[in-house]
Amino acid sequence: MKTLMSVLSLYWRHYPNWFLWGLLIGLMAALASIALMATAGWYLGATAISGLSGASVALAFNTLYPGFLIRTAALARTFGRYGERVITHDATFRFIARLRLYVFDGISQLTFRRLRDFRSGELLARLTADIDALDGIYLKVVLPLASAILSTLVVLVALHTINGPMALAVGGILLLALILLPLQAGRVGVGLGRRLAFSSEALRLRYIDLLRGQVELIMAGRLTDQVDAIQRAADRIHILQDRLAKHDLVGRALISLAGGAALVAVLLTGAYAYEQEAISGSVLLMAVLATLALTELMAPIRRGLLEIGKAIYAGQRILPLVADPLEDESTDLSDHGPILLEVSRVDFAYSDKAALIFSDFSLSLRSGEAIGIVGASGAGKSTLLGLVSGLLDPQCGRIRLDYEDGRAAHLQPRIGLLTQRTELFRESLAFNLRIADASGSDTLLRQTLQKAQLAKVLERSNAGLEQTLGDDGLGLSGGESRRLALSRLLLFKPDLWLLDETTEGLDSETAAAILSVLRSETANKALLFVTHKQAEAELADRLLIMHEDQPPNLISRADSDQWQAAVNGLR
């Protein structure tokens, strides 16, 4: 219940008018449907009675007013149902679209440690399937249940004006059914719906594991086991769906029994009142058909409640990720002074069972200094960049990055990380660059691309900055993709530069030009970079030499012999 109320509170927070208008128009459509049946019943009964009463009475019978009421009710029902669909569905789709933004912003604000807890495709499932499941809370539960209860109360008030015992008998049966049947359906739906949602997620994850790990599964001889696991999950879903369908049939039967009991109550109390000449035959027929119309409003409620478990499960997964969208403000790219990076007595391993990559490791770096990280593959060079950037968390120790000027203590220094994997989007060059500086002018973007030796990319197409890249930067070479990512750092102007194999794959001339730009751009910044090249090592004031089985060794240019030996070992 708490989850349902939380989702509805979000709905009410953003779309209160749509929420109320949907309920009001839904109620209007329901009452129009009941009025149509009731008026038609009275009209048929009155017409039959007037016909039996003689020609003079039949000729005097006024058909204008009941005909007008029937046509009005029919039109109100038609337009009401259409309007209710338009308003409620439009509001729901708007709400779901906004909720996706909130969840996406919540995901973007998660720590990297928390993000690593999610399996591949799980966050996408939260943004798609889970949010889609929440539309049933309003459309399939709240709206039909509210319409049925309010319509029943209105009809009971009308019946009470006709005959008190009739209203009491019908009200007792229908209100009891509107309480007990939804409660029973909700109890069943919570359990079955949750298990169905969980099984669907398990099936999806097993499919993903099969598609992404076919080679590993074949080599391990586990492909058949994975296929069997998928089949078991699919069978489980079929079983749960069959149970849900059976409960739906039982519910429909119970609703029919409740409706039948209400009709019997109307006929018995109405027949007695008719014998006592308290009501006419046409009014009795009107009450019967009005009660029949009421029972038709109960069927959608139960089906929606049978699926409520899926919505609750989705809400429990979604609500912890909901965050208000961040305001679209330009990043403050001004220089707030020198920074200080302190890595103090850090221990790190990728798991509790793995060997320590860093043990009691310490390092300090200030603005205006550059440290190059060298060593064999697997020694932990990229891991150190991950720790400093916050992508990895140490088991113990502390990593701090602050402005040395106390006036900027409330600000977080900007970190720029260039990894060996380039992240580009299927968008224009300008879009991919303005991720770093949303307010950057076209002139600034072109100048930045020229610094990154990408002027030829602009010349390839008449679209210039608006030329569109393919998925993951398709259309650019590997070196061009990395230089485009580097261009973002040039625009972002980080206080701490973290670079991993910056000029890897570039020809010597382009690499020299890039290094010249980096030397200029990072002159007053802190620079920590991984390299295997002598040319890149010349950017460093100190070299951190890393070995797999030995503690890292930090040397400076003043240690000329060690420095030269380390540089000579590079390419």
Side-chain angles (χ1 to χ4, degrees), residues 425-536:
F425 296 91
R426 186 175 183 175
E427 274 286 355
S428 65
L429 282 174
F431 177 91
N432 278 278
L433 289 171
R434 288 197 173 102
I435 292 172
D437 183 2
S439 61
S441 65
D442 288 355
T443 300
L444 177 61
L445 299 187
R446 290 191 183 92
Q447 291 173 350
T448 304
L449 290 175
Q450 288 174 355
K451 287 182 180 180
Q453 307 301 302
L454 289 173
K456 292 183 179 179
V457 173
L458 288 174
E459 298 171 359
R460 290 178 188 170
S461 171
N462 294 330
L465 287 170
E466 297 305 318
Q467 60 182 286
T468 302
L469 303 180
D471 293 330
D472 296 324
L474 185 64
L476 299 178
S477 67
E480 289 171 340
S481 296
R482 284 179 61 77
R483 278 179 281 155
L484 183 57
L486 177 62
S487 299
R488 288 200 293 235
L489 294 190
L490 296 174
L491 286 167
F492 187 56
K493 301 181 178 67
D495 300 297
L496 173 62
W497 291 66
L498 303 175
L499 307 177
D500 195 349
E501 303 285 354
T502 311
T503 62
E504 189 66 28
L506 301 182
D507 60 82
S508 58
E509 182 179 349
T510 303
I514 292 295
L515 292 176
S516 176
V517 170
L518 287 176
R519 187 175 289 107
S520 173
E521 295 290 331
T522 63
N524 299 316
K525 305 294 184 180
L527 173 61
L528 184 64
F529 64 96
V530 173
T531 184
H532 287 103
K533 295 184 176 182
Q534 294 182 6
E536 290 185 14

Side-chain angles (χ1 to χ4, degrees), residues 36 39-40 42-43 47 61-75:
L36 176 62
T39 306
W42 178 89
Y43 182 58
T47 302
F61 182 70
N62 188 351
T63 61
L64 180 62
Y65 292 128
F68 171 76
L69 291 175
I70 289 174
R71 290 180 177 87
T72 302
L75 290 173

Side-chain angles (χ1 to χ4, degrees), residues 325-359:
L326 300 174
E327 294 183 5
D328 187 14
E329 298 179 352
S330 298
T331 305
D332 180 9
L333 300 179
S334 56
D335 191 347
H336 294 285
I339 64 165
L340 172 63
L341 169 68
E342 289 183 304
V343 181
S344 305
R345 311 196 69 173
V346 163
D347 289 352
F348 177 78
Y350 278 100
S351 69
D352 295 336
K353 297 180 180 180
L356 285 174
I357 298 176
F358 293 100
S359 177

Side-chain angles (χ1 to χ4, degrees), residues 1-323:
M1 181 60 70
K2 182 179 179 181
T3 301
L4 295 179
M5 296 306 298
S6 298
V7 174
L8 290 175
S9 67
L10 282 175
Y11 202 117
W12 178 261
R13 172 184 169 187
H14 298 291
Y15 297 101
N17 294 331
W18 291 87
F19 189 92
L20 287 176
W21 274 111
L23 290 177
L24 289 175
I25 295 178
L27 176 61
M28 183 195 77
L31 290 176
S33 179
I34 296 169
L36 176 62
M37 293 282 286
T39 306
W42 178 89
Y43 182 58
L44 291 173
T47 302
I49 292 173
S50 64
L52 295 174
S53 301
S56 59
V57 175
L59 290 173
F61 182 70
N62 188 351
T63 61
L64 180 62
Y65 292 128
F68 171 76
L69 291 175
I70 289 174
R71 290 180 177 87
T72 302
L75 290 173
R77 182 184 66 170
T78 301
F79 286 110
R81 287 180 175 177
Y82 178 76
E84 178 259 317
R85 295 293 191 277
V86 170
I87 290 176
T88 58
H89 283 69
D90 184 68
T92 300
F93 293 149
R94 289 174 183 268
F95 168 69
I96 287 175
R98 182 181 288 248
L99 185 60
R100 282 199 173 95
L101 293 177
Y102 286 0
V103 173
F104 185 85
D105 280 296
I107 292 171
S108 69
Q109 297 174 42
L110 292 176
T111 63
F112 290 107
R113 178 188 290 273
R114 182 74 179 92
L115 286 171
R116 290 198 301 269
D117 292 339
F118 292 98
R119 296 184 61 180
S120 176
E122 190 174 353
L123 290 176
L124 180 61
R126 302 282 177 99
L127 284 168
T128 54
D130 285 346
I131 292 181
D132 288 341
L134 298 180
D135 67 356
I137 294 178
Y138 177 58
L139 292 177
K140 299 179 181 179
V141 177
V142 174
L143 183 64
L145 184 59
S147 296
I149 292 175
L150 293 175
S151 298
T152 300
L153 292 176
V154 171
V155 171
L156 290 179
V157 171
L159 287 179
H160 187 269
T161 61
I162 298 172
N163 185 267
M166 179 188 295
L168 183 63
V170 173
I173 294 172
L174 291 183
L175 291 177
L176 189 64
L178 282 172
I179 294 173
L180 295 181
L181 293 182
L183 283 177
Q184 192 271 341
R187 182 181 62 81
V188 173
V190 167
L192 274 180
R194 180 184 294 273
R195 290 197 294 271
L196 187 58
F198 184 79
S199 298
S200 299
E201 181 186 10
L203 178 63
R204 181 173 59 252
L205 292 176
R206 289 173 184 177
Y207 264 121
I208 292 173
D209 290 342
L210 174 63
L211 294 174
R212 299 191 64 178
Q214 289 185 56
V215 175
E216 292 82 358
L217 290 169
I218 292 172
M219 293 180 66
R222 299 294 303 275
L223 184 62
T224 302
D225 294 338
Q226 185 69 16
V227 172
D228 291 341
I230 290 174
Q231 186 60 52
R232 287 195 298 272
D235 292 341
R236 177 64 175 168
I237 291 174
H238 291 155
I239 292 172
L240 292 172
Q241 288 175 336
D242 287 343
R243 290 182 183 176
L244 199 65
K246 290 177 181 178
H247 281 288
D248 187 32
L249 289 175
V250 171
R252 292 178 183 274
L254 292 175
I255 290 172
S256 298
L257 288 175
L263 287 174
V264 170
V266 169
L267 289 171
L268 291 177
T269 55
Y272 179 78
Y274 180 77
E275 288 182 355
Q276 300 297 318
E277 297 184 353
I279 61 173
S280 64
S282 58
V283 171
L284 174 58
L285 187 55
M286 178 182 69
V288 170
L289 291 184
T291 303
L292 181 63
L294 270 180
T295 60
E296 294 179 355
L297 299 177
M298 298 173 61
I301 302 172
R302 184 173 176 85
R303 182 63 190 181
L305 286 169
L306 283 176
E307 298 177 359
I308 198 66
K310 184 179 179 181
I312 292 176
Y313 180 70
Q316 290 171 345
R317 288 157 53 91
I318 286 296
L319 291 175
L321 298 176
V322 173

